Amino acid sequence: MLSVIIPSYNEEKIIKKTAETITSILRDNNIEYEIIFVNDGSSDGTWTVIEQLSYDNPDIKGVCFSRNFGKESAIFAGLAECIGDACVVIDCDLQHPPEKIPEMYKLWKDGYEIVEGVKSYRGEEKITHSLAANRFYKIMSKETGTDMSDSSDYKLLDRKVINTLLNMPEKNTFFRALSSWVGFKKTSVRYDVAKREGGESKWSRMSLIKYALSNITSFTTRPMYIILYCGIAVLIMGIVLSIIALVQKFTGNSIGGFTTVIILLCFTSSVIMLSIGVIGYYIAKIYEEVKGRPRYIISSKTEVNNRYKSESTTEKRD
């Protein structure tokens, strides 16, 4: 069986079309499936639509969070709930083309344990967003040892990979990087990012910045080394300026250096405050981990509805 995991946040307008499109593709290719919609604390009618879809089709399941916990939590909730021998994680807005799922499924049947969805075309992006994304993925590529420049959350995972990810106890996770870091036999499928079928993107510029910072600090200690490099640079600058000041003093060419002192104080103070900020951010992440709170809280599921419907159908047949 193939499980299709779809994180959903305020997708009331598109979720029904998404379910119909994926269901049609899987049925046409004779793939046994289950579809799991994870409602990430939506404020619209997303959960109501999921409940109706689940009632109409017992192969569709729904998981509802008690509040918004974020996309990473929604993905891991789907991994925990799925019962398939493999799963596909796909966005609800159909920017990840569902037509690629049968191709991924075939590659999995051929023995691959991870099938990555790799972007051939990223869609329409602003230059600043593209440059920032490229820099972010260069950092993550170096840490994971794999090229993540065009990676996405769109991928197929074998049951062994799913169980490995679920056994990782950390709370602050970056699914895209972790699924590359774990290894296993992998291949890729290229696709073009499609235009959103409905609604608007839920990612603002600030939320993307927070997302990037959270994922970098949860997966790498590189920013801590940047502090070390800044400290070395300031030390070298201080030594050079000290030598210059001593030479001027002994040669009788010493002059007032008020401006230099002010600049040096401002620079070193900025480096110190930045360093404390980075260290504080990591301490905050450690604090979140040691509290041991769950990644998410599930308020309801649709399995009860499916079971009731199945029992009712059986009684009628009898």
Side-chain angles (χ1 to χ4, degrees), residues 140 172 210 212-221 223 278 281-282 285:
M140 300 310 297
N172 294 297
K210 290 180 179 178
L213 286 175
S214 177
N215 290 330
I216 288 173
T217 53
S218 68
F219 204 83
T220 174
T221 56
V278 173
Y281 196 87
Y282 272 95
K285 289 294 183 182

Side-chain angles (χ1 to χ4, degrees), residues 116-131:
E116 299 266 2
V118 178
K119 301 172 185 174
S120 297
Y121 170 65
R122 297 182 62 91
E124 297 179 0
E125 285 185 346
K126 294 182 179 179
I127 295 177
T128 54
H129 182 276
S130 179
L131 291 175

